[in-house]
């Protein structure tokens, strides 16, 4: 499966679990960390768990496993690192505080519609 298809699928998986403000940030050429960030906002801890598990389970079925995950124990900002793309699931307060869109303002940012 190609990278763009996977990234689009991830954004749809987020929407399946009612994530808010889903965006894909293309950082190719801006950083060596990754190629894409896929970000969303969750309204509650159970929703964050549901988004995380839905993405992980769906990608694992396709033999795509995260290199590393962080933040699941606190659920304020959960990161799923797949090397070429990194998923960020924020609660509202943390998303507002870090303002990822401002930090990566030079990047091409795509807002995903429901």
């Amino acid at each position: 499966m190609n990278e763009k298809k996977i990234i689009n699928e991830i954004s749809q998986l987020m929407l399946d679990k009612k994530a808010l403000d889903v965006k894909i940030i293309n950082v190719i050429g801006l950083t060596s960390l990754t190629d894409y960030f896929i970000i969303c906002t969750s309204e509650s801890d159970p929703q964050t768990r549901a988004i995380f598990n839905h993405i992980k389970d769906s990608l694992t079925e396709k033999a795509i496993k995260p290199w590393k995950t962080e933040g699941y124990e606190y659920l304020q900002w959960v990161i799923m690192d797949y090397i070429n793309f990194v998923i960020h699931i924020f609660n509202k307060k943390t998303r507002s505080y870090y303002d990822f869109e401002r930090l990566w303002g030079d990047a091409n940012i795509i807002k995903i519609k429901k």
Side-chain angles (χ1 to χ4, degrees):
M1 188 176 241
N2 90 27
E3 192 172 80
K4 288 190 179 191
K5 281 186 179 182
I6 295 168
I7 290 165
N8 288 326
E9 181 178 339
I10 291 165
S11 65
Q12 291 306 308
L13 292 168
M14 290 173 165
L15 292 174
D16 286 351
K17 296 300 178 184
K18 310 294 188 225
L20 304 174
D21 201 16
V22 177
K23 293 183 180 172
I24 298 170
I25 303 174
N26 180 335
V27 293
I28 294 172
L30 298 175
T31 182
S32 60
L33 297 173
T34 191
D35 293 339
Y36 297 92
F37 294 120
I38 306 103
I39 64 175
C40 71
T41 301
S42 169
E43 296 185 280
S44 66
D45 290 354
Q47 184 184 22
T48 299
R49 275 189 217 92
I51 295 167
F52 176 92
N53 290 329
H54 189 49
I55 292 168
K56 187 174 180 186
D57 293 346
S58 295
L59 293 182
T60 299
E61 285 176 9
K62 295 171 176 52
I64 303 169
K65 296 184 180 182
W67 174 66
K68 188 173 189 175
T69 62
E70 290 186 31
Y72 190 78
E73 57 278 354
Y74 302 110
L75 300 172
Q76 294 175 8
W77 179 1
V78 178
I79 298 170
M80 304 170 77
D81 188 343
Y82 288 86
I83 308 294
N84 293 339
F85 55 91
V86 179
I87 299 164
H88 298 268
I89 307 166
F90 293 97
N91 69 17
K92 285 184 176 183
K93 184 177 176 182
T94 306
R95 173 89 180 254
S96 175
Y97 180 80
Y98 285 100
D99 195 4
F100 238 54
E101 293 87 332
R102 183 186 55 77
L103 288 174
W104 294 102
D106 292 344
N108 180 25
I109 301 174
I110 301 164
K111 183 171 176 72
I112 305 301
K113 308 281 186 191
K114 294 181 184 181

